[in-house]
Amino acid sequence: MTTNQTFDVAVVGAGVFGAWTAYQMRRAGAEVLLIDAYGPANSRASSGGESRIIRMGYGQDAIYTRMAQRSFTAWQELFDRIDRPQLFQQTGVLWLARENDSYCEATLKTFQQTNVKFERLDQGELKRRYPQLELRDISWGILETDSGILMARQAVQAVVAEASAAGVTYLTAAIRPPKTGPDKLQSITTTSGREIVAGKFIFACGPWLPKLFPELLAGLIHVTRQEVFFLGVPAGDDRFNSPGMPTWMDINELIYCLPNLDNRGLKIAIDKHGPPFDPDTGERIVNPESVNAVRAYLARRVPLLADAPVAESRVCQYENTSNGDFLIDRHPEFENVWLVGGGSGHGFKHGPAVGEDLTSLISGSAKVELRFALATKEQAQQRKVF
Ligand SMILES: Cc1cc2nc3c(=O)[nH]c(=O)nc-3n(C[C@H](O)[C@H](O)[C@H](O)COP(=O)(O)OP(=O)(O)OC[C@H]3O[C@@H](n4cnc5c(N)ncnc54)[C@H](O)[C@@H]3O)c2cc1C
């Protein structure tokens, strides 16, 4: 990058949202600069984990089912183009349902309306297929046969590599919070004092958005500490590998679990929001109470792993909006600044659709979706999207 170079668009943040946005903007013909303080899908970023679920199920929220369908196609096209199909692992995604399970029943209905491929399994069939799981309290399930896992960190880095090959300029730099008003932002400044000039600015800073725009977003995006565990599987035992073990969602207990991918162990995480967390300075060491909670759950659901050792653990963060809907909107004071984030623990899979929609918004060919508008974000946390 030369000192006086100007860009049509500067995208701040190379997580999944920023990476796909930079890539899609470039494909639409723009000169794009992509900037990240710590690097694409770094270990502090929400996109920085090993793996993320791509599922179509969202209860009655067909808006996300449709976005996930679009994104799934785009992910697969990308992985085929770069000849890295293993960045998606088709494990299947199994929803464990109770009697009168309104979320899973709504998911079924949405699947029928949106042509998602699925199997409805009764308890007998679940027990027959998945003897590793203890399913006494589970009455039925939905198996999304085509869904599975995106190898998250590697996938984002692949998007950035593709974007760079297509002509996006990438820069490692930390951007200072922009000053508010007048109605157009002329430039942004790095912490080392370098000025970056662009026609438009997109801030895709995930959990850092409230730090960059404290007056606007501090009360609207809540950053919570989330813990992830990889349990060591028994030696010589492949019962926890895909395809024998699917990815499964126990939404009623706010637990999800991934099979032993890449031989890292069975991945299990508690989806309940943790305490507030600082993505820059937070220590990423798991709490002993969470280890106990995970073990207690495993003892009930996967008795074979009741005493399995924790082989690896991670602390990440969610950047939650009031109800879990994304934020994709223009800054209210700058007509050339766009904000994208609020992934709320489920954003990863949607990276391609978010990038595509933002590109259409910026070109003026689409309007802001009300559910993603800044005006619909509230202070009080009342999670509705899972
Ligand atoms: C434990 C866990 C499990 C999850 N599981 C799933 C799942 O299974 N499926 C799913 O779809 N989603 C899942 N999610 C959610 C998903 O990972 C996030 O919604 C998504 O990664 C958010 O991406 P992002 O690009 O908005 O933010 P990030 O990935 O955090 O990217 C923001 C980037 O901005 C950069 N940045 C910040 N400030 C500055 C600055 N001042 N200057 C320059 N750069 C800056 C950061 O370095 C960072 O790289 C999970 C999240 C967590 C934490």
Side-chain angles (χ1 to χ4, degrees):
M1 181 181 160
T2 54
T3 329
N4 297 323
Q5 199 170 350
T6 58
F7 293 88
D8 297 324
V9 187
V11 180
V12 184
V16 75
F17 285 172
W20 271 103
T21 300
Y23 185 35
Q24 309 274 30
M25 293 290 303
R26 177 68 199 142
R27 296 218 296 182
E31 285 297 330
V32 182
L33 173 67
L34 175 63
I35 310 157
D36 199 289
Y38 300 112
N42 62 80
S43 62
R44 287 168 163 122
S46 294
S47 308
E50 285 301 308
S51 46
R52 294 285 184 264
I53 301 168
I54 180 158
R55 52 160 160 113
M56 306 298 128
Y58 267 94
Q60 63 183 8
D61 281 316
I63 184 173
Y64 289 110
T65 300
R66 293 206 167 89
M67 280 179 84
Q69 287 176 304
R70 273 200 287 146
S71 292
F72 193 27
T73 306
W75 280 116
Q76 287 190 307
E77 279 172 6
L78 171 75
F79 299 156
D80 286 347
R81 200 159 52 241
I82 62 175
D83 199 20
R84 294 181 69 188
Q86 70 282 9
L87 293 182
F88 169 67
Q89 302 275 325
Q90 191 183 342
T91 62
V93 173
L94 175 67
W95 294 84
L96 301 181
R98 269 73 173 176
E99 282 303 323
N100 306 317
D101 193 315
S102 56
Y103 190 92
C104 290
E105 275 159 14
T107 298
L108 266 191
K109 224 184 248 172
T110 306
F111 283 177
Q112 280 149 357
Q113 290 157 1
T114 50
N115 294 323
V116 172
K117 229 169 107 190
F118 70 91
E119 286 182 66
R120 188 189 191 287
L121 306 175
D122 61 22
Q123 194 195 47
E125 185 58 16
L126 285 171
K127 286 183 169 172
R128 192 188 66 73
R129 289 198 197 182
Y130 310 116
Q132 325 88 316
L133 302 182
E134 173 48 65
L135 298 167
R136 230 174 313 181
D137 55 328
I138 302 301
S139 315
W140 56 286
I142 310 167
L143 179 65
E144 297 183 21
T145 44
D146 290 350
S147 301
I149 301 302
L150 296 160
M151 303 313 283
R153 175 173 40 80
Q154 293 182 64
V156 171
Q157 289 168 354
V159 177
V160 174
E162 268 301 278
S164 301
V168 168
T169 303
Y170 172 76
L171 174 72
T172 297
I175 301 302
R176 287 188 205 279
K179 296 201 176 69
T180 49
D183 34 325
K184 218 166 168 198
L185 185 66
Q186 303 298 339
S187 63
I188 51 178
T189 314
T190 69
T191 47
S192 57
R194 180 174 183 174
E195 193 184 15
I196 292 169
V197 178
K200 294 186 171 67
F201 298 88
I202 298 170
F203 287 87
C205 300
W208 286 266
L209 276 174
K211 289 194 179 200
L212 278 148
F213 300 95
E215 283 168 24
L216 192 63
L217 297 178
L220 300 183
I221 293 185
H222 301 256
V223 182
T224 56
R225 179 188 156 92
Q226 304 297 144
E227 297 176 330
V228 173
F229 299 86
F230 294 82
L231 275 295
V233 298
D237 192 339
D238 66 0
R239 286 176 290 179
F240 305 98
N241 294 4
S242 176
M245 168 76 89
T247 296
W248 38 279
M249 313 280 302
D250 198 346
I251 179 129
N252 294 286
E253 298 215 32
L254 289 179
I255 297 263
Y256 61 91
C257 210
L258 280 64
N260 177 25
L261 294 175
D262 259 0
N263 305 318
R264 304 191 89 89
L266 183 101
K267 177 175 165 181
I268 180 164
I270 302 172
D271 189 40
K272 189 171 163 237
H273 292 169
F277 190 69
D278 185 317
D280 287 301
T281 60
E283 285 276 24
R284 294 176 188 262
I285 300 168
V286 293
N287 289 323
E289 303 85 66
S290 314
V291 181
N292 292 339
V294 159
R295 280 200 202 293
Y297 177 80
L298 280 175
R300 277 192 290 122
R301 183 69 71 218
V302 200
L304 290 164
L305 296 183
D307 301 317
V310 173
E312 281 185 48
S313 57
R314 277 186 58 82
V315 174
C316 194
Q317 66 279 314
Y318 289 169
E319 51 292 326
N320 306 293
T321 58
S322 46
N323 67 354
D325 274 332
F326 301 151
L327 168 65
I328 307 176
D329 201 353
R330 201 192 287 267
H331 190 292
E333 286 167 30
F334 298 117
E335 50 137 304
N336 63 336
V337 173
W338 293 81
L339 307 169
V340 55
S344 306
H346 69 101
F348 193 91
K349 65 184 84 54
H350 300 289
V354 168
E356 197 177 276
D357 291 351
L358 201 48
T359 304
S360 306
L361 278 175
I362 289 173
S363 74
S365 65
K367 288 211 166 94
V368 172
E369 159 64 48
L370 191 61
R371 287 185 65 168
F372 304 157
L374 184 63
T376 60
K377 306 296 168 252
E378 290 172 13
Q379 302 259 348
Q381 285 281 285
Q382 215 182 359
R383 193 175 180 188
K384 292 196 181 123
V385 180
F386 292 86

